Amino acid sequence: MLIGLGRMYGAAMTLGGGSPDTLASPVSPDVVACTVTDAMWDGSSGDRCFLPAIDPEQLDEFKFENYPHPVSRVRHPAHLAMQDPEWLEDYKKAIAIMKSLPLSDPRSFMQQARVHCAYCDGAYPMLGHPDERLLVHASWLFASFHRWYLFFFERIMGKNWDHPDGMRILDMFKDINSPLYDPNRNVKHLDKIIDLSYHVPKDNPDFEHNNPDDRQIQENLLLMRKQMLYSTKPQLFFGAAYRAEDKADPNSGAGALELAPHNAIHLWTGSSSPGHGCLLVCRTGLNLLLLWNVWRNDLPGRSRTDLTDPDYLNASFILFHENAKPVRVLVKDSFNTEKLGYKYEQQDLPWLFKKISRPTKPTITETTVSFPKKLDSVITTKVVRPQKECLKDFIKFDVFVNDDHDHQPDEKTEVKPQYAGSFTSLTHKSSGGPVAKIVDGVMGSIKPRKNALWLALSNLLEDIGASDDEAIQVTVVPRSGTESVVITNVSIQFVA
């Protein structure tokens, strides 16, 4: 019965601490007080996510009856859709039209990129909290914001790395004469199998993995299995609570959907040239929102549900629709894609049936580490489980459980049964740099956020034969940009 209780609640490991959030109020952008962030998302000088002014009198409230429903479109995986010449031609034409629109038009390709940048880099303060920037990453807002963003992007103009056939940059993005071509993509990766746990060591900017294709595919499938199947609780999948009253240094934390493979794909796709890291942020289409549907509806085992906290459901964003007018949308209206007018094509999930070869259990070290501890070398510590009755550049560190490998920071991440997950961050610069308020010219600053990395444990411990152990050994391996990262605590908690 005690083991069953543990499974019912689900064990999770947290690095950096964190406690249940108290009720506050939902997040909403103050679009009248738009700011210029310090994010250099496209590598150009002086272009800092500045958006067209929004007149509150012209603001529409989203209503389902104003948009086509029930289902009128089927979203296909990109590697299958591109095989349809008519679809591909329409896609190219739509992007070309968006690129031809004047910069002042919120429907233009550049302004749509800026919309994404604005919410990721703090161009808007929170309504009622002028000193707090609204940032959708590393919190429960991540998935819903991107669903709304792509919903309107698709309406203005009219994509699959979790399947082996989609683990390369697709041919339609390689034609230099096509509107789909972006010169800022990393040319070294155009014909490689994508590495879903990719990072670039600080001391080796030319670092490239040498995994054979077959092995890289298997590692990618294992990573997808861990991220999707292990995170049975919504907090683990979507991320930490984020409310309007969250002041400086809230305990934020990204969910599995954002941590990997989202951030690694941005880094893999973007140019390694200085300033092009946020090609990362604004110009890479990802298959994330299909995975939201898959996580909720198509996985075996316990039922998975969306978050139901009122502060989450009533959080809002303001975007632009196809007639160039601003529209306010609520998180709670983003759940049902069929009401939004589309559904996803059913497809195989090869990572779901990825077999796990149970590793040999190591001897757990009796060494315990005193925290806080700067993450400038590998950290291995013993973590006692609860009683069963109870950013400058890309930042990345890996976490392994009961792994006796002699880890070196400059190694490639090896996705294997003992791999619990990674902390990854695109370090949107406004999180720690200055912002300039356009309305009054006053300069302000934002303190770096304190993050909590939550990693799902129950299924992992079963896979490696450690579900009945009284303690586990946790190894934290710095990979990229961790020189200023401090691990404040490592603990195991039950997540209800």
Side-chain angles (χ1 to χ4, degrees), residues 369-379 485-489:
V369 176
S370 178
F371 294 102
K373 181 174 177 58
K374 191 173 184 179
L375 188 57
D376 54 2
S377 61
V378 175
I379 297 175
V485 173
V486 174
I487 303 296
T488 58
N489 188 31

Side-chain angles (χ1 to χ4, degrees), residues 74-85 87-88 91 159-174 180 193-194 217 221 285-287 290-291 344-351:
V74 176
R75 288 185 177 173
H76 304 282
H79 66 279
L80 298 179
M82 65 175 286
Q83 298 174 17
D84 180 347
W87 176 90
L88 183 56
Y91 184 33
K159 176 176 138 160
N160 229 4
W161 28 255
D162 61 328
H163 190 286
D165 293 343
M167 288 184 184
R168 298 181 194 268
I169 294 178
L170 302 177
D171 289 342
M172 63 181 175
F173 298 114
K174 300 176 187 177
L180 305 182
I193 294 291
I194 195 168
I217 288 172
L221 294 177
L286 301 180
N287 198 34
L290 165 62
L291 295 180
Y344 292 99
E345 177 181 357
Q346 289 294 114
Q347 57 182 301
D348 294 334
L349 301 173
W351 46 265

Side-chain angles (χ1 to χ4, degrees), residues 269-284:
T269 308
S271 168
S272 58
S273 301
H276 288 129
C278 281
L279 161 73
L280 311 177
V281 174
C282 302
R283 298 185 183 178
T284 305

Side-chain angles (χ1 to χ4, degrees), residues 23-67:
L23 288 177
S25 58
V27 167
S28 183
D30 184 353
V31 294
V32 176
C34 180
T35 66
V36 174
T37 77
D38 66 342
M40 301 299 290
W41 59 267
D42 68 346
S44 64
S45 59
D47 191 342
R48 303 177 185 270
C49 303
F50 187 56
L51 296 170
I54 294 177
D55 181 355
E57 297 296 324
Q58 299 296 314
L59 184 63
D60 289 339
E61 299 291 336
F62 178 85
K63 296 179 180 179
F64 280 107
E65 56 265 30
N66 295 335
Y67 297 84

Side-chain angles (χ1 to χ4, degrees), residues 2-12 226 228-234 236-237 293-306 352 385 456-463 467 494-496:
L2 298 179
I3 293 175
L5 227 114
R7 288 177 178 169
M8 179 175 69
Y9 283 96
K226 287 173 173 285
M228 295 294 292
L229 205 58
Y230 286 8
S231 299
T232 57
K233 302 301 178 183
L236 299 173
F237 188 70
N293 276 25
V294 169
W295 178 83
R296 186 175 54 194
N297 301 320
D298 300 335
L299 299 183
R302 309 177 192 87
S303 60
R304 294 163 172 82
T305 59
D306 289 316
L352 181 58
R385 299 177 66 189
L457 277 185
S458 294
N459 287 327
L460 183 150
L461 295 179
E462 288 184 9
D463 281 344
S467 57
F494 286 120
V495 178

